[in-house]
Amino acid sequence: MTEHPPELPQHPDFLWHSPEPKRTYDVVIVGGGGHGLATAYYLATNHGITDIAVLEKGWLAGGNMARNTTIIRSNYLWDDSAGLYEHALKLWEGLEDELDYPLLFSQRGVLNLAHSLQDVRDSVRRVEANKLNGIDAEWLNPDEVSEVCPILNTSPELRYPVHGATYQPRAGIAKHDHVAWGLARALDRMGVHLIQDCEVTSVEVAGSKVCGVQTTRGPIAAGKVALAAAGSTSTVTDTLGLDLPLQSHPLQALVSELFEPVHPTVVMSNAVHVYVSQAHKGELVLGAGIDSYNSYAQRGSFHTIERQMQAAVELFPIFSRAHVLRTWAGTVDVTPDASAIMGLTPFDGLYINCGWGTGGFKATPGVGWCYAHTIAHDEPHPLNAPFSLDRFTTGALVDEHGAAGVAH
Ligand SMILES: Cc1cc2nc3c(=O)[nH]c(=O)nc-3n(C[C@H](O)[C@H](O)[C@H](O)COP(=O)(O)OP(=O)(O)OC[C@H]3O[C@@H](n4cnc5c(N)ncnc54)[C@H](O)[C@@H]3O)c2cc1C
């Protein structure tokens, strides 16, 4: 590892090397976001496969991994989704110790607000479904919501009155860049190559068998190629004539100036599309709903954040004088049933992981675990079997719009 002067703070560049790509690897992973890194991590730790290159077109974890609002929860409606996200949450609970790196994983609870009678019915149904799956979930009335989050305006006079909320106490947030850096450091120590500024321009096949990739740094041969390129996945599979049911949308977020701790939990509202937590360093972190048009631009429209801010100020009058420091967007990959795609493809040795939309950060360790199993054994792990690509032809959809549609 590169030595650095002691007076410099620890910087991610010093946590991993930047090797020249070899001509061949056992496994090439396309995309150095959280999912690509976690997949490499569990390939190495669970399956003993370390001859891996993670190829990243930009800088490591500069995509959605660095752009999300870091909400972690597992209170999804359907058994299939709950299984995957709860597996991820259990892995989060041990990941900081395992990586020996401060992930700032904070189980401060997540409230999902209900603003209408229909919201209440859907929420109570989801709480009961969660309990059946052994997931901690509670239905709170407005007074109980106020106890958990005293700065939330629960006045019945509101345009979007708070009729109650689902609450998952084990849910929370983590520091996303630290998660990437912790994984990257562990991978580097195990000999995995993390290669930045290396865009995969096509996947190479011989007949129906994958044999490698073409990149902006030359061809790289591989026995197996695993896609983890989020919103750009379909641009890679286009080169194979593999058409994916994916749309890519901008999703925006913003942070305020720094404040003393005022916000004890995470509050989400699907109906008004605002999500609020307070980062460890003091910024209020606010997420919005997706911009409705398709785009690969990592920026969104002003009216979306204007609407998000209106809702935030109404729900949290205490924020009315907060200044916005910066806004940004990522490109999220959305499927018709608002669930991810993870598993095999029609090409031997080509694996797919995408379609996490607005909610894939929380799945990071669970994705890595299941995707690594799929790649190592050439068959899906039971937890990701329901999320195969062929569900769009069989019709076995996992419709999570209610719990995941535009809700992080
Ligand atoms: C504003 C915003 C808020 C969000 N909030 C939450 C939240 O609170 N909770 C939550 O669970 N999720 C949230 N998400 C969603 C979450 O961030 C994503 O689902 C998750 O990061 C996806 O992980 P990934 O590793 O697949 O994607 P990414 O981190 O985007 O990684 C994909 C990587 O692939 C690289 N790549 C693309 N094409 C190529 C190529 N051809 N060759 C090489 N590399 C390539 C990209 O540069 C990128 O680094 C949010 C997303 C956004 C944008």
Side-chain angles (χ1 to χ4, degrees):
M1 197 170 296
T2 318
E3 290 299 320
H4 60 93
E7 69 273 15
L8 281 178
Q10 195 173 35
H11 182 275
D13 284 354
F14 300 109
L15 295 176
W16 59 86
H17 296 89
S18 287
E20 281 303 308
K22 294 194 301 179
R23 293 175 63 90
T24 181
Y25 291 91
D26 289 345
V27 180
V28 157
I29 296 176
V30 184
H35 291 194
L37 294 170
T39 302
Y41 177 74
Y42 289 110
L43 272 171
T45 54
N46 288 357
H47 305 282
I49 299 171
T50 54
D51 187 28
I52 305 171
V54 179
L55 308 181
E56 167 54 48
K57 74 174 173 184
W59 70 94
L60 194 123
N64 287 337
M65 185 59 169
R67 292 163 192 270
N68 62 65
T69 45
T70 82
I71 298 171
I72 295 170
R73 61 189 177 91
S74 64
N75 53 355
Y76 281 68
L77 176 65
W78 298 110
D79 296 353
D80 298 331
S81 323
L84 191 51
Y85 284 107
E86 178 59 15
H87 182 60
L89 183 49
K90 290 201 172 99
L91 291 171
W92 279 115
E93 285 170 335
L95 197 59
E96 188 159 273
D97 285 346
E98 191 175 327
L99 295 176
D100 189 24
Y101 197 79
L103 308 183
L104 306 186
F105 176 52
S106 160
Q107 290 177 288
R108 57 182 66 184
V110 169
L111 288 165
N112 289 77
L113 305 181
H115 300 289
S116 67
L117 184 57
Q118 188 57 42
D119 270 359
V120 172
R121 289 180 180 136
D122 291 345
S123 304
V124 171
R125 176 187 182 207
R126 187 144 60 86
V127 164
E128 296 307 326
N130 292 158
K131 285 181 183 163
L132 288 172
N133 277 315
I135 292 171
D136 56 321
E138 298 166 28
W139 168 252
L140 304 186
N141 66 34
D143 289 340
E144 292 166 326
V145 171
S146 290
E147 275 171 39
V148 175
C149 188
I151 60 170
L152 186 69
N153 185 357
T154 52
S155 154
E157 308 305 319
L158 276 190
R159 183 161 45 128
Y160 300 104
V162 176
H163 291 309
T166 66
Y167 184 53
Q168 185 178 19
R170 283 167 59 241
I173 55 172
K175 197 157 181 338
H176 44 189
D177 41 9
H178 280 213
V179 177
W181 300 343
L183 286 167
R185 186 182 71 160
L187 287 168
D188 190 73
R189 287 175 175 174
M190 292 187 283
V192 171
H193 280 188
L194 306 174
I195 301 169
Q196 305 180 83
D197 294 320
C198 183
E199 178 169 1
V200 171
T201 50
S202 65
V203 176
E204 298 298 298
V205 289
S208 63
K209 170 90 184 85
V210 159
C211 52
V213 290
Q214 285 292 340
T215 81
T216 47
R217 292 174 68 173
I220 299 177
K224 298 183 174 189
V225 174
L227 303 176
S232 301
T233 307
S234 44
T235 63
V236 179
T237 60
D238 274 355
T239 63
L240 294 167
L242 179 60
D243 200 13
L244 296 179
L246 276 188
Q247 290 190 20
S248 293
H249 292 263
L251 178 67
Q252 301 188 68
L254 57 87
V255 289
S256 73
E257 60 195 313
L258 307 185
F259 293 104
E260 294 295 315
V262 287
H263 187 15
T265 182
V266 181
V267 172
M268 306 176 57
S269 168
N270 291 5
V272 299
H273 290 164
V274 74
Y275 316 96
V276 190
S277 65
Q278 186 167 18
H280 293 81
K281 114 180 165 181
E283 304 149 319
L284 300 167
V285 182
L286 284 85
I290 57 173
D291 281 53
S292 51
Y293 56 88
N294 295 344
S295 170
Y296 283 112
Q298 292 186 121
R299 61 178 181 274
S301 325
F302 185 72
H303 73 267
T304 301
I305 45 178
E306 195 178 19
R307 210 168 44 216
Q308 160 196 17
M309 291 301 286
Q310 283 167 357
V313 170
E314 197 166 338
L315 288 169
F316 297 92
I318 190 177
F319 296 169
S320 62
R321 299 187 65 184
H323 295 109
V324 171
L325 269 197
R326 57 181 199 281
T327 76
W328 68 91
T331 309
V332 295
D333 38 333
V334 179
T335 62
D337 63 356
S339 287
I341 302 171
M342 203 200 313
L344 310 179
T345 70
F347 295 93
D348 286 348
L350 178 67
Y351 310 90
I352 190 163
N353 167 61
C354 61
W356 290 92
T358 66
F361 172 68
K362 65 180 67 60
T364 301
V367 169
W369 180 286
C370 294
Y371 200 30
H373 175 105
T374 304
I375 297 160
H377 296 286
D378 265 322
E379 64 177 29
H381 188 280
L383 285 173
N384 64 289
F387 298 97
S388 63
L389 181 57
D390 67 7
R391 75 178 187 273
F392 297 100
T393 46
T394 63
L397 303 179
V398 188
D399 190 337
E400 278 292 356
H401 280 98
V406 287
H408 319 322

